[in-house]
Amino acid sequence: MRRDADKEEAAVYQRVVRKNGAPYHYLKTHLVLEDESVRLSAVELKLFIISGLKNLYGEVGAALTFDLLKYNEDTLSALLRVHSRGLVKLWSSLTLLGSFQGQACCLQGPAGVSVPAGAVRKQS
Amino acid sequence: MWSRKVKVNSYFWCLFLSVGFSTVAVNYVFEPTTKKKQVSHHLVLRSGTAVLSRVGRSRPIRVLNRLTIVMSDSSHYRPTAAEYRRFDLLAVYPTTEKLFHAACMTYDVDIICISVTEKLPFFFKRAPVNGAIERGVAFEVSYSAAIRDATMRRYTIANAIALVDTCKGKNVIVSSAAEKRLELRGPHDAANLSLLFGLSDADAKEAVSSTCRSVVLHAERRKSAGGIIHTTKTSPEETPPTPDDRTSTANHKHPVWNKTDMIGP
């Protein structure tokens, strides 16, 4: 009986580890500025991030496609989506973005941690 | 639970709570000149633990004091100086190749800072870097200069890549030298940044967590061994005389523990 149970367990249990298996990564960030009353539109924020990519990675970096899925103008928080291969580039350029229109700024995640908010695989 | 280290010259403690650090080192940079040869005694050092506690964590943030000595001459670092004892961590910032070699091989420090604001004045050689790794000394790259200025960004990345090439990613710590609140980045952000410096995924995570912790432990060991000289001698009358013992006590020398013994590789 035990043997059968073990066999069944061996058959059922299967561990699958996928490294970077998902096509997209999501980044939840919010912009913290020195002057807290400044507001940006979604377009301005996207332009700002593209300029950061351009500063760090040049034209090739600026060509990296990412999407601004959600944006809250009051709290300046945004949800970005990028292809997995572009994650390191986008994330590092967000980290190194230091100034916005002359004032110091910081792109922080919720609770100060910019962690990719999960990978979602599209079910075909 | 990661134990991370952040080098900072400001006093915004609540920021570390939100960003996600459990251990913070406040850095005091000391540059010896002809007039100023000793670290000022009037420096107000931070207390051991900040009273603030983090939401969802039982331990408050641990605050350490760190001294960075900018060395342009070998006399700037004095190993027997009493003022070094007030600091938990000791770092040196060598500006010449000779000083870098000396710092890696012989100086009793915890961290060696790599220049990020200028072109490397010397090349890293494998021999001193490997010697430092064996001794447990860590190399530090700070990233806030990269946030401030585009030219500094180039220097930071170039110097960091040169270091990682030589040390193969071992014993590297990434810290911010943040002077303002907005120059601080979270540990995950710093780990991702160190991927740019050529570290692997595992090394990048270690650079903000376990290597920092090992530096703190190295510092504790260095501090505790600094004052120990322990000599014991058993007199022959105390031990019961046996034929074997007599010869052994006559020739036996108890170990004299001095500083160099404690700090071995």
Side-chain angles (χ1 to χ4, degrees):
Chain A
M1 280 291 279
R2 209 186 246 183
R3 262 189 222 165
D4 287 342
D6 283 349
K7 269 192 198 164
E8 278 177 19
E9 275 182 54
V12 164
Y13 175 70
Q14 192 190 9
R15 189 173 169 215
V16 176
V17 177
R18 268 204 198 98
K19 245 186 157 182
N20 296 328
Y24 290 110
H25 271 85
Y26 296 81
L27 279 168
K28 190 167 186 186
T29 57
H30 92 276
L31 183 61
V32 179
L33 292 166
E34 236 178 315
D35 177 10
E36 288 173 18
S37 61
V38 173
R39 291 286 172 265
L40 278 85
S41 69
V43 176
E44 283 174 341
L45 180 74
K46 185 153 186 193
L47 214 61
F48 177 47
I49 296 174
I50 290 176
S51 71
L53 274 167
K54 192 171 179 186
N55 275 332
L56 192 57
Y57 292 104
E59 296 291 347
V60 174
L64 178 67
T65 46
F66 66 95
D67 305 309
L68 188 62
L69 296 178
K70 289 193 180 171
Y71 180 59
N72 185 337
E73 243 189 77
D74 297 320
T75 56
L76 295 176
S77 63
L79 185 67
L80 303 167
R81 176 179 67 185
V82 68
H83 277 280
S84 305
R85 60 178 178 274
L87 173 71
V88 175
K89 278 190 180 167
L90 181 67
W91 195 1
S92 53
S93 63
L94 290 181
T95 309
L96 288 178
L97 267 175
S99 71
F100 174 72
Q101 290 177 357
Q103 53 172 310
C105 77
C106 169
L107 272 151
Q108 268 184 2
V113 177
S114 271
V115 180
V120 174
R121 180 178 274 284
K122 218 174 165 180
Q123 294 295 326
S124 51
Chain B
M1 284 287 204
W2 290 15
S3 149
R4 305 143 197 156
K5 192 180 77 125
V6 161
K7 182 179 85 168
V8 85
N9 291 329
S10 71
Y11 296 87
F12 298 109
W13 301 114
C14 53
L15 179 66
F16 299 112
L17 299 169
S18 61
V19 159
F21 288 102
S22 60
T23 308
V24 172
V26 180
N27 185 37
Y28 299 89
V29 180
F30 174 61
E31 191 160 353
T33 55
T34 42
K35 283 187 190 172
K36 217 178 25 163
K37 289 208 174 141
Q38 283 190 344
V39 181
S40 160
H41 290 279
H42 303 293
L43 269 178
V44 177
L45 297 177
R46 298 276 124 191
S47 59
T49 48
V51 182
L52 313 154
S53 64
R54 197 179 158 203
V55 173
R57 271 179 136 223
S58 52
R59 272 180 286 172
I61 282 190
R62 192 175 157 206
V63 176
L64 302 170
N65 295 298
R66 169 187 151 164
L67 178 68
T68 301
I69 306 166
V70 179
M71 284 174 52
S72 40
D73 187 66
S74 54
S75 64
H76 290 168
Y77 171 72
R78 292 170 295 120
T80 48
E83 55 253 22
Y84 296 172
R85 288 178 200 283
R86 296 166 66 210
F87 296 92
D88 302 302
L89 293 161
L90 199 56
V92 284
Y93 179 1
T95 47
T96 66
E97 175 150 24
K98 243 176 110 181
L99 290 171
F100 179 75
H101 187 99
C104 287
M105 304 299 272
T106 54
Y107 286 359
D108 193 15
V109 290
D110 307 310
I111 300 166
I112 295 175
C113 304
I114 301 301
S115 152
V116 290
T117 51
E118 54 179 6
K119 189 164 171 281
L120 267 181
F122 51 87
F123 290 112
F124 295 118
K125 302 263 163 62
R126 284 271 159 97
V129 167
N130 288 340
I133 290 172
E134 274 171 33
R135 286 173 62 218
V137 179
F139 297 98
E140 183 205 41
V141 181
S142 62
Y143 59 75
S144 69
I147 294 171
R148 276 180 233 141
D149 187 38
T151 322
M152 305 290 181
R153 204 173 291 175
R154 262 180 269 147
Y155 289 142
T156 308
I157 294 176
N159 297 353
I161 287 177
L163 171 70
V164 169
D165 272 340
T166 316
C167 73
K168 293 180 209 155
K170 291 188 210 165
N171 278 36
V172 176
I173 57 174
V174 170
S175 73
S176 84
E179 286 164 18
K180 287 190 231 177
R181 188 177 75 90
L182 291 171
E183 285 174 10
L184 189 65
R185 296 290 181 267
H188 293 270
D189 298 331
N192 187 63
L193 209 55
S194 48
L195 291 174
L196 281 186
F197 299 157
L199 291 171
S200 67
D201 283 322
D203 289 337
K205 187 176 167 182
E206 275 181 22
V208 293
S209 58
S210 52
T211 313
C212 296
R213 189 163 178 272
S214 74
V215 165
V216 171
L217 293 174
H218 180 273
E220 279 180 26
R221 185 182 71 159
R222 176 184 59 81
K223 272 186 89 175
S224 65
I228 295 177
I229 295 181
H230 179 235
T231 316
T232 57
K233 186 181 173 191
T234 51
S235 54
E237 300 96 70
E238 284 169 21
T239 53
T242 61
D244 296 333
D245 253 9
R246 218 175 283 152
T247 46
S248 64
T249 45
N251 296 328
H252 186 59
K253 281 181 185 169
H254 278 267
V256 174
W257 293 92
N258 59 24
K259 197 171 138 185
T260 46
D261 280 342
M262 293 292 276
I263 303 178

